[in-house]
Amino acid sequence: DAGVIQSPRHEVTEMGQEVTLRCKPISGHDYLFWYRQTMMRGLELLIYFNNNVPIDDSGMPEDRFSAKMPNASFSTLKIQPSEPRDSAVYFCASRAGGIQYFGAGTRLSVL
Amino acid sequence: AQSVTQLGSHVSVSEGALVLLRCNYSSSVPPYLFWYVQYPNQGLQLLLKYTSAATLVKGINGFEAEFKKSETSFHLTKPSAHMSDAAEYFCAVSASVSGGYNKLIFGAGTRLAVHP
């Protein structure tokens, strides 16, 4: 299996622009998680899905952030409009057998 | 609510020396505990997990951790450090009063440096 696949690996955008991050979970995994990693706040859970349904979005920082999972093999995290403080590494993880498997992350820079 | 404290944001050891990375947790219900490793520009990789079976857990790359309920600790050890162990290590707890173990709460991480 190729593991959890995230795209793009790097994203540089200007303040105010819309940003979409993409994730393909491991086939057969029924949970999907979005995390954000920053130096100041460490690893934070933003939202997670079970069988494509959002279960807990209490970690989503603001209404500018939204996440969808239209099917079992694809999820997006969207930021609109983006701000410099959104600069971070965003990870997607999928879960099976109680273990979360992480993608390589998307490094987002908002100028 | 659950929380994790990793003592020491940076640890430096000599190659061949013992590695000890400290983790203390807080949980009102029996927890599941994990150690993950992150190499530069990569995602997190599971080293080992504790899910209420044996208290001494062996993981990949020669690492192991011991769950001590009385001390609320889950320290990570390796008898002999290798240069390739240089990375950032995260301790995480998962627990839920409603019976689910879906959310991972991560510690701040410990960066391990290994010098010749």
Side-chain angles (χ1 to χ4, degrees), chain B residues 42-82:
Chain B
Q42 294 186 27
L44 280 71
Q45 178 185 0
L46 182 70
L47 277 177
L48 49 82
K49 64 174 182 175
Y50 165 79
T51 56
S52 75
T55 57
L56 182 62
V57 182
K58 295 187 182 299
I60 63 171
N61 302 338
F63 285 93
E64 64 181 36
E66 186 172 8
F67 173 70
K68 293 187 177 180
K69 183 178 179 180
S70 61
E71 300 177 8
T72 61
S73 68
F74 191 58
H75 303 331
L76 182 71
T77 61
K78 182 174 180 177
S80 177
H82 192 273

PDB file of all heavy atoms in Angstrom, chain B residues 42-82:
ATOM      1  N   GLN B  42       8.963  14.614   7.180  1.00  0.00           N
ATOM      2  CA  GLN B  42       8.148  13.418   7.019  1.00  0.00           C
ATOM      3  C   GLN B  42       6.975  13.437   8.003  1.00  0.00           C
ATOM      4  O   GLN B  42       6.934  14.256   8.925  1.00  0.00           O
ATOM      5  CB  GLN B  42       8.988  12.154   7.246  1.00  0.00           C
ATOM      6  CG  GLN B  42      10.075  11.937   6.214  1.00  0.00           C
ATOM      7  CD  GLN B  42      10.780  10.610   6.380  1.00  0.00           C
ATOM      8  OE1 GLN B  42      10.193   9.649   6.902  1.00  0.00           O
ATOM      9  NE2 GLN B  42      12.014  10.538   5.940  1.00  0.00           N
ATOM     10  N   GLY B  43       6.051  12.528   7.784  1.00  0.00           N
ATOM     11  CA  GLY B  43       4.947  12.366   8.711  1.00  0.00           C
ATOM     12  C   GLY B  43       5.374  11.562   9.931  1.00  0.00           C
ATOM     13  O   GLY B  43       6.528  11.171  10.062  1.00  0.00           O
ATOM     14  N   LEU B  44       4.426  11.337  10.823  1.00  0.00           N
ATOM     15  CA  LEU B  44       4.712  10.589  12.029  1.00  0.00           C
ATOM     16  C   LEU B  44       4.583   9.092  11.760  1.00  0.00           C
ATOM     17  O   LEU B  44       3.682   8.654  11.049  1.00  0.00           O
ATOM     18  CB  LEU B  44       3.742  10.989  13.141  1.00  0.00           C
ATOM     19  CG  LEU B  44       4.048  12.282  13.887  1.00  0.00           C
ATOM     20  CD1 LEU B  44       3.794  13.503  13.017  1.00  0.00           C
ATOM     21  CD2 LEU B  44       3.239  12.365  15.165  1.00  0.00           C
ATOM     22  N   GLN B  45       5.462   8.346  12.384  1.00  0.00           N
ATOM     23  CA  GLN B  45       5.476   6.893  12.235  1.00  0.00           C
ATOM     24  C   GLN B  45       5.348   6.265  13.614  1.00  0.00           C
ATOM     25  O   GLN B  45       6.053   6.664  14.548  1.00  0.00           O
ATOM     26  CB  GLN B  45       6.779   6.457  11.561  1.00  0.00           C
ATOM     27  CG  GLN B  45       6.931   4.965  11.403  1.00  0.00           C
ATOM     28  CD  GLN B  45       8.285   4.576  10.841  1.00  0.00           C
ATOM     29  OE1 GLN B  45       9.135   5.416  10.565  1.00  0.00           O
ATOM     30  NE2 GLN B  45       8.506   3.288  10.655  1.00  0.00           N
ATOM     31  N   LEU B  46       4.474   5.286  13.749  1.00  0.00           N
ATOM     32  CA  LEU B  46       4.270   4.645  15.043  1.00  0.00           C
ATOM     33  C   LEU B  46       5.482   3.812  15.445  1.00  0.00           C
ATOM     34  O   LEU B  46       5.967   2.982  14.674  1.00  0.00           O
ATOM     35  CB  LEU B  46       3.042   3.748  14.994  1.00  0.00           C
ATOM     36  CG  LEU B  46       2.694   3.044  16.309  1.00  0.00           C
ATOM     37  CD1 LEU B  46       2.176   4.065  17.330  1.00  0.00           C
ATOM     38  CD2 LEU B  46       1.661   1.948  16.086  1.00  0.00           C
ATOM     39  N   LEU B  47       5.962   4.052  16.668  1.00  0.00           N
ATOM     40  CA  LEU B  47       7.033   3.233  17.242  1.00  0.00           C
ATOM     41  C   LEU B  47       6.453   2.065  18.036  1.00  0.00           C
ATOM     42  O   LEU B  47       6.908   0.925  17.908  1.00  0.00           O
ATOM     43  CB  LEU B  47       7.895   4.069  18.188  1.00  0.00           C
ATOM     44  CG  LEU B  47       9.006   4.928  17.608  1.00  0.00           C
ATOM     45  CD1 LEU B  47       9.666   5.711  18.730  1.00  0.00           C
ATOM     46  CD2 LEU B  47      10.033   4.076  16.878  1.00  0.00           C
ATOM     47  N   LEU B  48       5.491   2.380  18.899  1.00  0.00           N
ATOM     48  CA  LEU B  48       4.875   1.358  19.734  1.00  0.00           C
ATOM     49  C   LEU B  48       3.603   1.905  20.360  1.00  0.00           C
ATOM     50  O   LEU B  48       3.376   3.113  20.349  1.00  0.00           O
ATOM     51  CB  LEU B  48       5.846   0.886  20.827  1.00  0.00           C
ATOM     52  CG  LEU B  48       6.554   1.943  21.662  1.00  0.00           C
ATOM     53  CD1 LEU B  48       5.672   2.456  22.780  1.00  0.00           C
ATOM     54  CD2 LEU B  48       7.843   1.377  22.259  1.00  0.00           C
ATOM     55  N   LYS B  49       2.804   0.970  20.910  1.00  0.00           N
ATOM     56  CA  LYS B  49       1.556   1.386  21.547  1.00  0.00           C
ATOM     57  C   LYS B  49       1.262   0.504  22.756  1.00  0.00           C
ATOM     58  O   LYS B  49       1.646  -0.673  22.810  1.00  0.00           O
ATOM     59  CB  LYS B  49       0.397   1.309  20.564  1.00  0.00           C
ATOM     60  CG  LYS B  49       0.093  -0.115  20.090  1.00  0.00           C
ATOM     61  CD  LYS B  49      -1.159  -0.161  19.236  1.00  0.00           C
ATOM     62  CE  LYS B  49      -1.459  -1.610  18.818  1.00  0.00           C
ATOM     63  NZ  LYS B  49      -2.746  -1.719  18.084  1.00  0.00           N
ATOM     64  N   TYR B  50       0.589   1.071  23.723  1.00  0.00           N
ATOM     65  CA  TYR B  50       0.105   0.357  24.890  1.00  0.00           C
ATOM     66  C   TYR B  50      -1.416   0.446  24.896  1.00  0.00           C
ATOM     67  O   TYR B  50      -1.980   1.541  24.838  1.00  0.00           O
ATOM     68  CB  TYR B  50       0.651   0.972  26.183  1.00  0.00           C
ATOM     69  CG  TYR B  50      -0.095   0.500  27.404  1.00  0.00           C
ATOM     70  CD1 TYR B  50       0.173  -0.755  27.966  1.00  0.00           C
ATOM     71  CD2 TYR B  50      -1.096   1.277  27.981  1.00  0.00           C
ATOM     72  CE1 TYR B  50      -0.534  -1.203  29.071  1.00  0.00           C
ATOM     73  CE2 TYR B  50      -1.804   0.833  29.083  1.00  0.00           C
ATOM     74  CZ  TYR B  50      -1.519  -0.413  29.612  1.00  0.00           C
ATOM     75  OH  TYR B  50      -2.227  -0.864  30.697  1.00  0.00           O
ATOM     76  N   THR B  51      -2.062  -0.744  24.960  1.00  0.00           N
ATOM     77  CA  THR B  51      -3.525  -0.759  24.951  1.00  0.00           C
ATOM     78  C   THR B  51      -4.065  -1.703  26.012  1.00  0.00           C
ATOM     79  O   THR B  51      -4.973  -2.487  25.760  1.00  0.00           O
ATOM     80  CB  THR B  51      -4.059  -1.151  23.572  1.00  0.00           C
ATOM     81  OG1 THR B  51      -3.500  -2.428  23.205  1.00  0.00           O
ATOM     82  CG2 THR B  51      -3.716  -0.132  22.527  1.00  0.00           C
ATOM     83  N   SER B  52      -3.483  -1.627  27.207  1.00  0.00           N
ATOM     84  CA  SER B  52      -3.953  -2.329  28.403  1.00  0.00           C
ATOM     85  C   SER B  52      -3.592  -3.811  28.440  1.00  0.00           C
ATOM     86  O   SER B  52      -4.149  -4.545  29.230  1.00  0.00           O
ATOM     87  CB  SER B  52      -5.458  -2.162  28.599  1.00  0.00           C
ATOM     88  OG  SER B  52      -6.187  -2.954  27.687  1.00  0.00           O
ATOM     89  N   ALA B  53      -2.681  -4.234  27.636  1.00  0.00           N
ATOM     90  CA  ALA B  53      -2.185  -5.609  27.723  1.00  0.00           C
ATOM     91  C   ALA B  53      -0.892  -5.582  28.560  1.00  0.00           C
ATOM     92  O   ALA B  53      -0.879  -5.047  29.647  1.00  0.00           O
ATOM     93  CB  ALA B  53      -1.960  -6.189  26.336  1.00  0.00           C
ATOM     94  N   ALA B  54       0.193  -6.119  28.061  1.00  0.00           N
ATOM     95  CA  ALA B  54       1.455  -6.126  28.803  1.00  0.00           C
ATOM     96  C   ALA B  54       1.939  -4.705  29.053  1.00  0.00           C
ATOM     97  O   ALA B  54       1.858  -3.846  28.184  1.00  0.00           O
ATOM     98  CB  ALA B  54       2.516  -6.898  28.016  1.00  0.00           C
ATOM     99  N   THR B  55       2.459  -4.463  30.235  1.00  0.00           N
ATOM    100  CA  THR B  55       2.890  -3.107  30.580  1.00  0.00           C
ATOM    101  C   THR B  55       4.216  -2.732  29.939  1.00  0.00           C
ATOM    102  O   THR B  55       4.513  -1.561  29.775  1.00  0.00           O
ATOM    103  CB  THR B  55       3.007  -2.943  32.098  1.00  0.00           C
ATOM    104  OG1 THR B  55       3.922  -3.935  32.602  1.00  0.00           O
ATOM    105  CG2 THR B  55       1.656  -3.119  32.770  1.00  0.00           C
ATOM    106  N   LEU B  56       5.024  -3.727  29.586  1.00  0.00           N
ATOM    107  CA  LEU B  56       6.264  -3.459  28.860  1.00  0.00           C
ATOM    108  C   LEU B  56       5.998  -3.725  27.385  1.00  0.00           C
ATOM    109  O   LEU B  56       5.688  -4.850  26.988  1.00  0.00           O
ATOM    110  CB  LEU B  56       7.396  -4.347  29.372  1.00  0.00           C
ATOM    111  CG  LEU B  56       8.765  -4.120  28.726  1.00  0.00           C
ATOM    112  CD1 LEU B  56       9.256  -2.701  28.990  1.00  0.00           C
ATOM    113  CD2 LEU B  56       9.773  -5.145  29.233  1.00  0.00           C
ATOM    114  N   VAL B  57       6.135  -2.688  26.609  1.00  0.00           N
ATOM    115  CA  VAL B  57       5.797  -2.772  25.199  1.00  0.00           C
ATOM    116  C   VAL B  57       7.056  -2.637  24.358  1.00  0.00           C
ATOM    117  O   VAL B  57       7.837  -1.706  24.573  1.00  0.00           O
ATOM    118  CB  VAL B  57       4.802  -1.659  24.810  1.00  0.00           C
ATOM    119  CG1 VAL B  57       4.414  -1.781  23.345  1.00  0.00           C
ATOM    120  CG2 VAL B  57       3.571  -1.710  25.697  1.00  0.00           C
ATOM    121  N   LYS B  58       7.235  -3.539  23.436  1.00  0.00           N
ATOM    122  CA  LYS B  58       8.382  -3.470  22.529  1.00  0.00           C
ATOM    123  C   LYS B  58       7.915  -2.941  21.180  1.00  0.00           C
ATOM    124  O   LYS B  58       6.851  -3.312  20.680  1.00  0.00           O
ATOM    125  CB  LYS B  58       9.023  -4.839  22.382  1.00  0.00           C
ATOM    126  CG  LYS B  58       9.645  -5.355  23.676  1.00  0.00           C
ATOM    127  CD  LYS B  58      10.418  -6.628  23.467  1.00  0.00           C
ATOM    128  CE  LYS B  58      10.984  -7.156  24.779  1.00  0.00           C
ATOM    129  NZ  LYS B  58      11.916  -6.186  25.406  1.00  0.00           N
ATOM    130  N   GLY B  59       8.739  -2.069  20.613  1.00  0.00           N
ATOM    131  CA  GLY B  59       8.376  -1.481  19.334  1.00  0.00           C
ATOM    132  C   GLY B  59       9.433  -1.732  18.277  1.00  0.00           C
ATOM    133  O   GLY B  59      10.280  -2.606  18.413  1.00  0.00           O
ATOM    134  N   ILE B  60       9.366  -0.896  17.250  1.00  0.00           N
ATOM    135  CA  ILE B  60      10.327  -1.045  16.158  1.00  0.00           C
ATOM    136  C   ILE B  60      11.654  -0.381  16.500  1.00  0.00           C
ATOM    137  O   ILE B  60      11.735   0.418  17.438  1.00  0.00           O
ATOM    138  CB  ILE B  60       9.760  -0.457  14.854  1.00  0.00           C
ATOM    139  CG1 ILE B  60       9.513   1.047  15.001  1.00  0.00           C
ATOM    140  CG2 ILE B  60       8.490  -1.180  14.442  1.00  0.00           C
ATOM    141  CD1 ILE B  60       9.155   1.740  13.695  1.00  0.00           C
ATOM    142  N   ASN B  61      12.678  -0.751  15.755  1.00  0.00           N
ATOM    143  CA  ASN B  61      14.008  -0.127  15.874  1.00  0.00           C
ATOM    144  C   ASN B  61      14.625  -0.264  17.261  1.00  0.00           C
ATOM    145  O   ASN B  61      15.471   0.544  17.638  1.00  0.00           O
ATOM    146  CB  ASN B  61      13.953   1.358  15.485  1.00  0.00           C
ATOM    147  CG  ASN B  61      13.452   1.570  14.071  1.00  0.00           C
ATOM    148  OD1 ASN B  61      13.526   0.676  13.234  1.00  0.00           O
ATOM    149  ND2 ASN B  61      12.935   2.741  13.796  1.00  0.00           N
ATOM    150  N   GLY B  62      14.231  -1.287  18.018  1.00  0.00           N
ATOM    151  CA  GLY B  62      14.839  -1.553  19.314  1.00  0.00           C
ATOM    152  C   GLY B  62      14.298  -0.731  20.471  1.00  0.00           C
ATOM    153  O   GLY B  62      14.831  -0.794  21.581  1.00  0.00           O
ATOM    154  N   PHE B  63      13.272   0.053  20.233  1.00  0.00           N
ATOM    155  CA  PHE B  63      12.679   0.858  21.294  1.00  0.00           C
ATOM    156  C   PHE B  63      11.682   0.053  22.116  1.00  0.00           C
ATOM    157  O   PHE B  63      11.060  -0.875  21.613  1.00  0.00           O
ATOM    158  CB  PHE B  63      11.969   2.079  20.707  1.00  0.00           C
ATOM    159  CG  PHE B  63      12.895   3.164  20.242  1.00  0.00           C
ATOM    160  CD1 PHE B  63      13.328   3.221  18.927  1.00  0.00           C
ATOM    161  CD2 PHE B  63      13.350   4.132  21.137  1.00  0.00           C
ATOM    162  CE1 PHE B  63      14.191   4.223  18.504  1.00  0.00           C
ATOM    163  CE2 PHE B  63      14.209   5.134  20.725  1.00  0.00           C
ATOM    164  CZ  PHE B  63      14.630   5.171  19.407  1.00  0.00           C
ATOM    165  N   GLU B  64      11.550   0.434  23.363  1.00  0.00           N
ATOM    166  CA  GLU B  64      10.518  -0.133  24.210  1.00  0.00           C
ATOM    167  C   GLU B  64      10.050   0.923  25.208  1.00  0.00           C
ATOM    168  O   GLU B  64      10.729   1.935  25.426  1.00  0.00           O
ATOM    169  CB  GLU B  64      10.996  -1.394  24.936  1.00  0.00           C
ATOM    170  CG  GLU B  64      12.125  -1.188  25.908  1.00  0.00           C
ATOM    171  CD  GLU B  64      12.536  -2.509  26.557  1.00  0.00           C
ATOM    172  OE1 GLU B  64      12.505  -3.559  25.890  1.00  0.00           O
ATOM    173  OE2 GLU B  64      12.896  -2.470  27.747  1.00  0.00           O
ATOM    174  N   ALA B  65       8.876   0.686  25.789  1.00  0.00           N
ATOM    175  CA  ALA B  65       8.322   1.615  26.768  1.00  0.00           C
ATOM    176  C   ALA B  65       7.577   0.819  27.831  1.00  0.00           C
ATOM    177  O   ALA B  65       7.030  -0.247  27.557  1.00  0.00           O
ATOM    178  CB  ALA B  65       7.382   2.608  26.101  1.00  0.00           C
ATOM    179  N   GLU B  66       7.564   1.347  29.029  1.00  0.00           N
ATOM    180  CA  GLU B  66       6.894   0.676  30.134  1.00  0.00           C
ATOM    181  C   GLU B  66       5.792   1.562  30.683  1.00  0.00           C
ATOM    182  O   GLU B  66       6.025   2.723  31.035  1.00  0.00           O
ATOM    183  CB  GLU B  66       7.872   0.329  31.244  1.00  0.00           C
ATOM    184  CG  GLU B  66       7.235  -0.500  32.360  1.00  0.00           C
ATOM    185  CD  GLU B  66       8.238  -1.010  33.370  1.00  0.00           C
ATOM    186  OE1 GLU B  66       9.418  -0.606  33.311  1.00  0.00           O
ATOM    187  OE2 GLU B  66       7.833  -1.816  34.231  1.00  0.00           O
ATOM    188  N   PHE B  67       4.600   1.004  30.751  1.00  0.00           N
ATOM    189  CA  PHE B  67       3.453   1.706  31.332  1.00  0.00           C
ATOM    190  C   PHE B  67       3.497   1.522  32.845  1.00  0.00           C
ATOM    191  O   PHE B  67       3.494   0.383  33.343  1.00  0.00           O
ATOM    192  CB  PHE B  67       2.154   1.142  30.772  1.00  0.00           C
ATOM    193  CG  PHE B  67       0.905   1.672  31.427  1.00  0.00           C
ATOM    194  CD1 PHE B  67       0.524   2.983  31.231  1.00  0.00           C
ATOM    195  CD2 PHE B  67       0.132   0.858  32.245  1.00  0.00           C
ATOM    196  CE1 PHE B  67      -0.635   3.477  31.832  1.00  0.00           C
ATOM    197  CE2 PHE B  67      -1.015   1.346  32.850  1.00  0.00           C
ATOM    198  CZ  PHE B  67      -1.400   2.656  32.642  1.00  0.00           C
ATOM    199  N   LYS B  68       3.556   2.645  33.569  1.00  0.00           N
ATOM    200  CA  LYS B  68       3.528   2.613  35.029  1.00  0.00           C
ATOM    201  C   LYS B  68       2.355   3.459  35.508  1.00  0.00           C
ATOM    202  O   LYS B  68       2.431   4.693  35.551  1.00  0.00           O
ATOM    203  CB  LYS B  68       4.845   3.131  35.610  1.00  0.00           C
ATOM    204  CG  LYS B  68       6.038   2.225  35.330  1.00  0.00           C
ATOM    205  CD  LYS B  68       7.275   2.707  36.062  1.00  0.00           C
ATOM    206  CE  LYS B  68       8.444   1.746  35.840  1.00  0.00           C
ATOM    207  NZ  LYS B  68       9.671   2.194  36.554  1.00  0.00           N
ATOM    208  N   LYS B  69       1.298   2.763  35.889  1.00  0.00           N
ATOM    209  CA  LYS B  69       0.082   3.464  36.300  1.00  0.00           C
ATOM    210  C   LYS B  69       0.313   4.311  37.547  1.00  0.00           C
ATOM    211  O   LYS B  69      -0.179   5.444  37.635  1.00  0.00           O
ATOM    212  CB  LYS B  69      -1.035   2.449  36.556  1.00  0.00           C
ATOM    213  CG  LYS B  69      -2.365   3.067  36.918  1.00  0.00           C
ATOM    214  CD  LYS B  69      -3.425   1.999  37.109  1.00  0.00           C
ATOM    215  CE  LYS B  69      -4.764   2.621  37.509  1.00  0.00           C
ATOM    216  NZ  LYS B  69      -5.807   1.583  37.704  1.00  0.00           N
ATOM    217  N   SER B  70       1.074   3.782  38.488  1.00  0.00           N
ATOM    218  CA  SER B  70       1.291   4.492  39.757  1.00  0.00           C
ATOM    219  C   SER B  70       2.035   5.808  39.538  1.00  0.00           C
ATOM    220  O   SER B  70       1.883   6.744  40.321  1.00  0.00           O
ATOM    221  CB  SER B  70       2.065   3.620  40.728  1.00  0.00           C
ATOM    222  OG  SER B  70       3.332   3.282  40.199  1.00  0.00           O
ATOM    223  N   GLU B  71       2.836   5.851  38.487  1.00  0.00           N
ATOM    224  CA  GLU B  71       3.610   7.054  38.187  1.00  0.00           C
ATOM    225  C   GLU B  71       3.012   7.846  37.018  1.00  0.00           C
ATOM    226  O   GLU B  71       3.557   8.887  36.664  1.00  0.00           O
ATOM    227  CB  GLU B  71       5.060   6.675  37.861  1.00  0.00           C
ATOM    228  CG  GLU B  71       5.776   5.967  38.991  1.00  0.00           C
ATOM    229  CD  GLU B  71       7.194   5.542  38.626  1.00  0.00           C
ATOM    230  OE1 GLU B  71       7.666   5.927  37.540  1.00  0.00           O
ATOM    231  OE2 GLU B  71       7.816   4.817  39.420  1.00  0.00           O
ATOM    232  N   THR B  72       1.952   7.357  36.471  1.00  0.00           N
ATOM    233  CA  THR B  72       1.324   7.916  35.247  1.00  0.00           C
ATOM    234  C   THR B  72       2.391   8.241  34.209  1.00  0.00           C
ATOM    235  O   THR B  72       2.431   9.340  33.646  1.00  0.00           O
ATOM    236  CB  THR B  72       0.460   9.159  35.551  1.00  0.00           C
ATOM    237  OG1 THR B  72       1.279  10.198  36.120  1.00  0.00           O
ATOM    238  CG2 THR B  72      -0.669   8.822  36.490  1.00  0.00           C
ATOM    239  N   SER B  73       3.252   7.253  33.973  1.00  0.00           N
ATOM    240  CA  SER B  73       4.352   7.478  33.040  1.00  0.00           C
ATOM    241  C   SER B  73       4.358   6.430  31.948  1.00  0.00           C
ATOM    242  O   SER B  73       3.828   5.316  32.105  1.00  0.00           O
ATOM    243  CB  SER B  73       5.687   7.468  33.778  1.00  0.00           C
ATOM    244  OG  SER B  73       5.985   6.171  34.267  1.00  0.00           O
ATOM    245  N   PHE B  74       5.015   6.773  30.865  1.00  0.00           N
ATOM    246  CA  PHE B  74       5.168   5.874  29.718  1.00  0.00           C
ATOM    247  C   PHE B  74       6.466   6.277  29.013  1.00  0.00           C
ATOM    248  O   PHE B  74       6.472   6.738  27.892  1.00  0.00           O
ATOM    249  CB  PHE B  74       3.959   5.983  28.796  1.00  0.00           C
ATOM    250  CG  PHE B  74       3.885   4.926  27.722  1.00  0.00           C
ATOM    251  CD1 PHE B  74       3.863   3.577  28.030  1.00  0.00           C
ATOM    252  CD2 PHE B  74       3.807   5.277  26.376  1.00  0.00           C
ATOM    253  CE1 PHE B  74       3.779   2.602  27.055  1.00  0.00           C
ATOM    254  CE2 PHE B  74       3.715   4.308  25.381  1.00  0.00           C
ATOM    255  CZ  PHE B  74       3.708   2.971  25.721  1.00  0.00           C
ATOM    256  N   HIS B  75       7.571   6.096  29.694  1.00  0.00           N
ATOM    257  CA  HIS B  75       8.864   6.520  29.180  1.00  0.00           C
ATOM    258  C   HIS B  75       9.373   5.584  28.078  1.00  0.00           C
ATOM    259  O   HIS B  75       9.189   4.360  28.157  1.00  0.00           O
ATOM    260  CB  HIS B  75       9.901   6.572  30.304  1.00  0.00           C
ATOM    261  CG  HIS B  75       9.522   7.478  31.446  1.00  0.00           C
ATOM    262  ND1 HIS B  75       8.720   8.599  31.291  1.00  0.00           N
ATOM    263  CD2 HIS B  75       9.862   7.434  32.761  1.00  0.00           C
ATOM    264  CE1 HIS B  75       8.567   9.199  32.445  1.00  0.00           C
ATOM    265  NE2 HIS B  75       9.239   8.519  33.366  1.00  0.00           N
ATOM    266  N   LEU B  76      10.046   6.165  27.126  1.00  0.00           N
ATOM    267  CA  LEU B  76      10.586   5.430  25.973  1.00  0.00           C
ATOM    268  C   LEU B  76      12.086   5.209  26.173  1.00  0.00           C
ATOM    269  O   LEU B  76      12.801   6.152  26.533  1.00  0.00           O
ATOM    270  CB  LEU B  76      10.348   6.234  24.690  1.00  0.00           C
ATOM    271  CG  LEU B  76      10.813   5.598  23.382  1.00  0.00           C
ATOM    272  CD1 LEU B  76       9.925   4.421  23.011  1.00  0.00           C
ATOM    273  CD2 LEU B  76      10.793   6.646  22.262  1.00  0.00           C
ATOM    274  N   THR B  77      12.541   3.993  25.938  1.00  0.00           N
ATOM    275  CA  THR B  77      13.965   3.701  26.098  1.00  0.00           C
ATOM    276  C   THR B  77      14.500   2.887  24.933  1.00  0.00           C
ATOM    277  O   THR B  77      13.750   2.200  24.225  1.00  0.00           O
ATOM    278  CB  THR B  77      14.238   2.921  27.408  1.00  0.00           C
ATOM    279  OG1 THR B  77      13.520   1.669  27.362  1.00  0.00           O
ATOM    280  CG2 THR B  77      13.799   3.703  28.630  1.00  0.00           C
ATOM    281  N   LYS B  78      15.814   3.003  24.773  1.00  0.00           N
ATOM    282  CA  LYS B  78      16.543   2.168  23.828  1.00  0.00           C
ATOM    283  C   LYS B  78      17.928   1.969  24.416  1.00  0.00           C
ATOM    284  O   LYS B  78      18.574   2.954  24.808  1.00  0.00           O
ATOM    285  CB  LYS B  78      16.625   2.813  22.445  1.00  0.00           C
ATOM    286  CG  LYS B  78      17.353   1.942  21.426  1.00  0.00           C
ATOM    287  CD  LYS B  78      17.290   2.549  20.022  1.00  0.00           C
ATOM    288  CE  LYS B  78      18.028   1.656  19.024  1.00  0.00           C
ATOM    289  NZ  LYS B  78      17.939   2.174  17.630  1.00  0.00           N
ATOM    290  N   PRO B  79      18.398   0.738  24.514  1.00  0.00           N
ATOM    291  CA  PRO B  79      19.662   0.488  25.221  1.00  0.00           C
ATOM    292  C   PRO B  79      20.876   1.160  24.590  1.00  0.00           C
ATOM    293  O   PRO B  79      21.772   1.622  25.297  1.00  0.00           O
ATOM    294  CB  PRO B  79      19.805  -1.043  25.160  1.00  0.00           C
ATOM    295  CG  PRO B  79      18.435  -1.549  24.900  1.00  0.00           C
ATOM    296  CD  PRO B  79      17.746  -0.499  24.082  1.00  0.00           C
ATOM    297  N   SER B  80      20.875   1.252  23.266  1.00  0.00           N
ATOM    298  CA  SER B  80      22.061   1.753  22.583  1.00  0.00           C
ATOM    299  C   SER B  80      21.653   2.630  21.405  1.00  0.00           C
ATOM    300  O   SER B  80      21.075   2.140  20.429  1.00  0.00           O
ATOM    301  CB  SER B  80      22.922   0.578  22.096  1.00  0.00           C
ATOM    302  OG  SER B  80      24.042   1.026  21.370  1.00  0.00           O
ATOM    303  N   ALA B  81      21.955   3.913  21.496  1.00  0.00           N
ATOM    304  CA  ALA B  81      21.543   4.849  20.463  1.00  0.00           C
ATOM    305  C   ALA B  81      22.348   4.678  19.187  1.00  0.00           C
ATOM    306  O   ALA B  81      23.562   4.401  19.218  1.00  0.00           O
ATOM    307  CB  ALA B  81      21.680   6.275  20.973  1.00  0.00           C
ATOM    308  N   HIS B  82      21.663   4.892  18.087  1.00  0.00           N
ATOM    309  CA  HIS B  82      22.299   4.865  16.773  1.00  0.00           C
ATOM    310  C   HIS B  82      22.113   6.225  16.132  1.00  0.00           C
ATOM    311  O   HIS B  82      21.127   6.926  16.412  1.00  0.00           O
ATOM    312  CB  HIS B  82      21.662   3.758  15.917  1.00  0.00           C
ATOM    313  CG  HIS B  82      22.414   3.455  14.666  1.00  0.00           C
ATOM    314  ND1 HIS B  82      22.211   4.134  13.491  1.00  0.00           N
ATOM    315  CD2 HIS B  82      23.381   2.539  14.407  1.00  0.00           C
ATOM    316  CE1 HIS B  82      23.018   3.659  12.556  1.00  0.00           C
ATOM    317  NE2 HIS B  82      23.737   2.698  13.090  1.00  0.00           N
TER     318      HIS B  82
END
